[in-house]
């Protein structure tokens, strides 16, 4: 299969680790991730985002706030970021922008923030939010004499190009790359086990912003073993290998980071993650899950690194088979992915998930000191991928 890099949001061929003029992430926060219709169902997207934004603002109070950028997929429309910023009482003078790159929206929003502070120094709060529980119903205009037709999602691609739902596309990708059902269940079981262990050890605590009485992620399941997962029937195709057990959930949640220009970061002299490279890519829309592969390859190349140099890798685990196909294509040991559990266990709040990856990198690299370099990447419906490579700095 041929993949084509279509755009690099911040590309500098001279970029090397330690670049001192690169923007820096100096704070990161997220809500717990809830299962749709359950723990966070009473909180809409703007409210979830506002809680995280207010928390971040309290952590960086001494710098003028220039902008808010949030990703979102299925909210009420309009400028959700502006509504959230106002609900967070960030000031009527602070502008806000909402972006939609589907599942990559949260990471795309952070990449835009990086570009913003390079051009106009200051502080930008960026991330993403999704409330599948409160997403409005949408309808196509009716044809004459017919009833309106409700749709669950906007098109990812034109029908004549190929516009599969993500589940069938994950089945097709697993088949294309020869990913067995057994491998998928082993990987999913490991994600749950890691997330449960990390939660019990309190490793998520510093990044979580409680929502009411909800203080922890709702989805991770203790005892989600390979044997238990093997009982799940195929979810999309009678002969397929993708099941509800080796797929992510449908979830609610918000995540964001605080991005500073390099000079301000130097003046404040606080720990953070220097953003070395961000990259985006396009692939065949019928196999969208592979989209993170060329984005990762471009990011690593432009940073002057090898994948073996990366200490912590966070890929969005939409489907176990999808992540395993990406690992095989990249030549990466799946054991290295999401060392404290990923979206298979934690959940996948679409517009927020890319930002969740950066929050997880911030916790592991900055708060927990687990290495120097981190890589986040996510595949996108319609055949795209977004990646970001960061370096811990003190």
């Amino acid at each position: 299969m041929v993949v084509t890099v279509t755009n690099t949001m911040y590309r500098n061929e001279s970029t090397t680790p330690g670049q001192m003029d690169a923007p820096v992430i100096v704070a990161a926060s997220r809500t717990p991730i809830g299962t749709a219709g359950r723990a966070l169902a009473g909180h809409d997207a703007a409210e979830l985002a506002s809680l995280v934004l207010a928390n971040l603002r309290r952590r960086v109070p001494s710098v003028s706030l220039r902008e808010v950028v949030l990703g979102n997929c299925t909210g009420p429309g309009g400028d959700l970021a502006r509504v959230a910023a106002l609900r967070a009482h960030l000031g009527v003078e602070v502008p806000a922008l909402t972006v939609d790159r589907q599942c990559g929206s949260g990471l795309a929003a952070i990449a835009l923030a990086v570009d913003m502070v390079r051009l106009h120094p200051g502080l930008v709060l960026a991330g993403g939010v999704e409330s599948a529980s409160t997403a409005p119903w949408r309808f196509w205009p009716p044809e004459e004499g017919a009833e309106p037709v409700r749709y669950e999602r906007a098109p990812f691609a034109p029908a004549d190009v190929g516009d599969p739902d993500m589940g069938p596309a994950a089945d097709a990708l697993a088949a294309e790359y020869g990913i067995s059902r057994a491998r998928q269940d082993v990987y999913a079981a490991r994600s749950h086990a890691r997330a449960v262990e990390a939660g019990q050890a309190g490793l998520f605590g510093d990044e979580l912003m409680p929502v009411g009485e909800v203080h922890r992620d709702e989805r991770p399941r203790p005892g989600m073993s390979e044997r238990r997962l093997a009982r799940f029937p195929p979810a999309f195709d009678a002969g397929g290998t993708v099941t509800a057990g080796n797929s992510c959930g449908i979830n609610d949640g918000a995540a964001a980071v605080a991005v500073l220009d390099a000079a301000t970061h130097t003046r404040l002299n606080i720990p953070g993650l220097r953003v070395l490279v961000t990259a985006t890519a396009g692939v065949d829309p019928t196999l969208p899950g592979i989209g993170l592969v060329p984005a990762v390859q471009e990011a690593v190349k432009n940073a002057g690194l090898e994948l073996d140099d990366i200490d912590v890798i966070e890929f969005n685990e939409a489907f176990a088979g999808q992540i395993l196909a990406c690992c095989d294509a990249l030549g990466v040991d799946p054991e290295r992915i999401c060392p404290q559990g990923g979206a298979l266990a934690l959940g996948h709040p679409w517009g927020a998930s890319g930002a969740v990856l950066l929050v997880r990198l911030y916790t592991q690299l900055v708060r927990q000191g687990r290495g120097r370099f981190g890589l986040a990447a996510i595949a996108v419906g319609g055949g795209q991928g977004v990646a970001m490579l960061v370096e811990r700095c003190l």
Side-chain angles (χ1 to χ4, degrees), residues 9 11 21 28 38 71-72 107-108 149 163 171 178 235 237 267 286 311 313 342 356 378 381 384 390:
M9 302 188 72
R11 177 171 179 169
D21 65 345
R38 297 179 63 179
N72 178 253
L107 195 53
V149 178
D163 186 26
D171 257 332
D237 184 330
R267 174 172 60 82
T286 65
D311 298 294
I313 300 175
V356 170
I378 188 166
Q384 299 185 84
V390 297

Side-chain angles (χ1 to χ4, degrees), residues 197-207 340 360 363 368 370:
E197 181 180 0
Q200 292 173 345
L203 301 182
F204 300 135
D206 289 341
E207 71 190 35
Q340 295 177 355
R360 298 270 50 252
T363 290
Q368 298 170 1
R370 294 176 180 266

Side-chain angles (χ1 to χ4, degrees), residues 198-199 201-207 271 273 312 314 339-340 359-372 392:
L203 301 182
F204 300 135
D206 289 341
E207 71 190 35
L273 293 178
V312 182
E314 290 286 329
Q340 295 177 355
V359 174
R360 298 270 50 252
L361 286 180
Y362 186 91
T363 290
Q364 292 170 86
L365 293 174
V366 178
R367 294 187 175 113
Q368 298 170 1
R370 294 176 180 266
R372 177 182 176 188
R392 178 171 58 88

Side-chain angles (χ1 to χ4, degrees), residues 141-147:
E143 297 181 3
E144 185 175 354
E147 293 295 320

